[in-house]
């Protein structure tokens, strides 16, 4: 078991490719999936299509006939990480196909790695398949392959990401995702429900709902109903909550209708399943002038009112957010305003980025960029504040009874998460006595008997 490290980037999803035996002569593809959960879902869809065509999936470079690298292009540091991953795949395997967000800049990739076989952009599934076919022609066995394949998942069996839309209608100055992934395109609600039902039937106990802007789900469809299901986040959440699994909402902008979700969460606290009392809201900053420079809604005071209303309607709600420090023009007074706002908001889970220029983002041209050493100092101070708030909130849970989902079990104990903790980005609850009968995916009730800044310990 390992405690939750506090310095993880809050935008990552870690893919786990299961080992599967390849039959003699079966073409084999490897996958490296970088970036956020939305990219991980893209990787799962690509691998599902390939396996249905008769390809085997390899978790290693060695033995793979080619490797797909699904890249991230959100920050310059993420781009550098993607280039490093492409270089490693070329060194270890030599036959590399690149896709994902960084694929929207093919010259950037081929300039660094001219030997890649092909480059495709984000969610260009057909182009990725065409590139694989050209590099490694399919050789299906008609008695085994070419049948509807079970979905390839890159998460543990008991939880899954459920992407409900693609793209974004916002034009934040620091972000180029709308340029890479386009405007909002929502999936029909009945299609989302059908996928969720399959996942739950296959053993998934927790559905992690993701998109670029979950609150805006269905806006492009004018919230139309189709086959008995309305394309609106409140209706969709209610439908998902009836499947018997935990449902966790990510990337929720604080639009007024979010308050309609909170009663669903209060019901879950009482019933133990449904829409979890957890809102992942990307506030990014608190000072109105910084928010204006970001081209985001400048309503931090009203946001505090909304937070108070959410907590009044669902006292057990967990609020998670991410922030940017060192944005161009950010003064010491504006940063101190953010720290003071944190004292008032008392958010439960917090991640933080230091601002970075991103090629193509409008924020690059803003005046008064903050020196790196000042950004680092502000990040340190922000995280010190967030850690103190987290420690106090977790200490208050000692002695309470909490429902947890088991993520893993080893010789030392069981690593679990409460309703307040999303996988990879939040904390853990550890059980180190009487855990031997537990298995991943079990949902049990524990008594919390110890707390640290980010994690809990409990007993059955």
């Amino acid at each position: 078991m390992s405690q939750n490290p506090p310095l993880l980037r809050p935008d990552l999803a870690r893919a786990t490719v299961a080992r599967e035996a390849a039959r003699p002569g079966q073409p084999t593809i490897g996958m490296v999936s970088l970036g956020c959960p939305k990219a991980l879902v893209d990787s799962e869809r690509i691998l599902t299509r390939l396996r249905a065509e008769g390809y085997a999936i390899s978790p290693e470079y060695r033995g793979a006939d080619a490797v797909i690298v699904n890249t991230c292009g959100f920050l310059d540091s993420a781009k550098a990480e993607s280039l490093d991953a492409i270089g490693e795949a070329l060194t270890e395997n030599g036959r590399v196909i690149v896709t994902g967000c960084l694929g929207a800049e093919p010259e950037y990739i081929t300039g660094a790695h001219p030997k890649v076989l092909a480059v495709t952009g984000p969610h260009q599934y057909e182009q990725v398949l065409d590139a694989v076919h050209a590099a490694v022609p399919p050789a299906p066995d008609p008695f085994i392959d070419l049948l509807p394949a079970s979905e390839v998942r890159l998460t543990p069996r008991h939880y899954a990401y459920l992407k409900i839309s693609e793209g974004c209608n916002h034009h934040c100055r620091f972000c180029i995702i709308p340029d890479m992934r386009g405007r909002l395109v929502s999936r029909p609600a009945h299609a989302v429900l059908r996928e969720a039902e399959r996942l739950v039937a296959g053993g998934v106990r927790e559905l992690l709902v993701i998109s670029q802007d979950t609150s805006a789900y269905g806006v492009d469809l004018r919230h139309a109903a189709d086959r008995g299901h309305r394309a609106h986040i409140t209706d969709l959440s209610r439908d998902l909550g009836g499947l018997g699994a935990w449902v966790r909402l990510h990337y929720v902008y604080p639009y007024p209708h979010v308050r309609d979700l909170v009663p669903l969460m209060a019901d879950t606290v009482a019933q133990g399943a449904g829409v979890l009392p957890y809102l992942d809201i990307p506030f990014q900053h608190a000072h109105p002038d910084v928010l204006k420079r970001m081209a985001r809604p400048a309503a931090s005071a009203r946001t505090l009112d909304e937070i108070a209303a959410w907590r009044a309607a669902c006292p057990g709600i967990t609020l998670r957010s991410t922030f940017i420090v060192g944005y161009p023009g950010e003064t010491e007074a504006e940063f101190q305003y953010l720290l003071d706002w944190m004292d008032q908001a008392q958010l439960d889970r917090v991640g933080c980025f230091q601002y970075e220029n991103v090629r193509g983002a409008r924020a690059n041209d803003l005046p008064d960029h903050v020196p790196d050493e000042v950004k680092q100092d502000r990040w340190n101070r922000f995280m010190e504040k967030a850690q103190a708030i987290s420690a106090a909130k977790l200490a208050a849970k000692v002695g309470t009874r909490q429902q947890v989902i088991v993520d893993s079990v080893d010789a030392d104990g069981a690593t679990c998460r409460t309703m307040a903790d999303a996988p990879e980005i939040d904390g853990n609850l550890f059980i180190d006595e009487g855990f031997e009968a537990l298995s991943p995916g079990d949902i049990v009730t524990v008594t919390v008997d110890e707390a640290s800044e980010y994690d809990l310990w409990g007993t059955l």
Side-chain angles (χ1 to χ4, degrees), residues 281 283 285-286 300-311 317-321 323 337-350 382 385-386 389-390 393:
I281 298 180
F283 289 125
H285 210 277
S300 60
R302 290 198 299 275
T303 298
L304 288 173
D305 293 339
E306 285 296 308
I307 289 172
W310 298 335
R311 285 176 169 153
I317 195 168
T318 296
L319 301 180
R320 167 172 238 291
S321 192
F323 294 85
Y337 183 101
L338 171 60
L339 294 183
D340 294 341
W341 186 91
M342 285 283 290
D343 279 329
Q344 294 177 280
Q346 291 288 300
L347 302 181
D348 302 90
R349 304 283 187 268
V350 173
F382 180 93
K385 171 77 68 177
I389 293 171
S390 175
K393 283 182 167 285

Side-chain angles (χ1 to χ4, degrees), residues 122-145:
H123 58 87
Q124 293 182 345
Y125 307 123
E126 299 302 329
Q127 291 90 329
V128 176
L129 294 174
D130 289 344
V132 172
H133 296 159
V136 186
D141 183 330
F143 295 101
I144 301 174
D145 304 317

Side-chain angles (χ1 to χ4, degrees), residues 169-392:
N169 290 344
H170 293 285
H171 298 283
C172 304
R173 286 194 176 97
F174 56 82
C175 182
I176 60 172
I177 286 176
D179 297 326
M180 293 188 294
R181 291 184 170 260
R183 292 180 61 79
L184 176 74
V185 178
S186 302
R187 297 176 61 195
H190 66 83
V192 175
L193 263 293
R194 186 168 62 245
E195 180 182 354
E197 288 166 352
R198 288 200 306 267
L199 290 169
V200 173
V204 168
R205 306 296 305 277
E206 180 179 13
L207 297 166
L208 302 142
V209 176
I210 58 170
S211 67
Q212 202 59 46
D213 180 359
T214 296
S215 305
Y217 170 72
V219 167
D220 55 311
L221 303 176
R222 299 182 182 273
H223 300 308
D226 185 5
R227 305 181 206 185
H229 298 285
R230 180 171 175 252
H232 190 284
I233 188 56
T234 304
D235 298 72
L236 180 65
S237 298
R238 185 179 296 110
D239 289 342
L240 291 172
L243 299 180
W246 285 10
V247 178
R248 191 181 300 275
L249 301 179
H250 288 281
Y251 314 118
V252 178
Y253 279 72
Y255 302 149
H257 65 258
V258 169
R259 66 189 63 153
D260 298 329
L261 293 169
V262 178
L264 301 178
M265 298 175 179
D267 290 343
T268 297
V269 173
Q271 299 170 7
V275 183
L276 295 179
Y278 179 100
L279 280 176
D280 175 10
I281 298 180
F283 289 125
Q284 307 297 12
H285 210 277
H287 196 283
D289 292 341
V290 178
L291 291 169
K292 288 177 183 176
R293 291 197 298 273
M294 290 178 169
R296 293 178 68 83
S300 60
R302 290 198 299 275
T303 298
L304 288 173
D305 293 339
E306 285 296 308
I307 289 172
W310 298 335
R311 285 176 169 153
C314 182
I317 195 168
T318 296
L319 301 180
R320 167 172 238 291
S321 192
T322 52
F323 294 85
I324 298 172
V325 297
Y327 190 77
E330 182 189 57
T331 65
E332 176 61 26
E334 290 170 341
F335 175 70
Q336 185 61 50
Y337 183 101
L338 171 60
L339 294 183
D340 294 341
W341 186 91
M342 285 283 290
D343 279 329
Q344 294 177 280
Q346 291 288 300
L347 302 181
D348 302 90
R349 304 283 187 268
V350 173
C352 185
F353 293 100
Q354 295 181 49
Y355 170 81
E356 296 180 22
N357 279 341
V358 176
R359 189 165 68 171
R362 294 178 295 149
N364 301 354
D365 299 325
L366 289 173
D368 301 322
H369 280 243
V370 177
D372 288 345
E373 61 271 18
V374 175
K375 287 190 284 189
Q376 181 66 48
D377 174 70
R378 290 178 182 172
W379 186 90
N380 291 340
R381 290 157 62 195
F382 180 93
M383 292 307 298
E384 182 179 1
K385 171 77 68 177
Q387 185 182 72
I389 293 171
S390 175

Side-chain angles (χ1 to χ4, degrees), residues 28-31 61 64-69 86-98 115-118 131-137:
T28 302
I29 301 297
M31 170 67 82
Y61 295 118
D65 297 304
V67 174
I68 301 170
V69 179
I86 295 167
E88 179 180 289
L90 285 168
T91 299
E92 297 294 330
N93 182 277
R95 296 169 58 78
V96 177
I97 296 163
V98 179
K115 293 184 179 180
V116 297
L117 300 178
V132 172
H133 296 159
V136 186

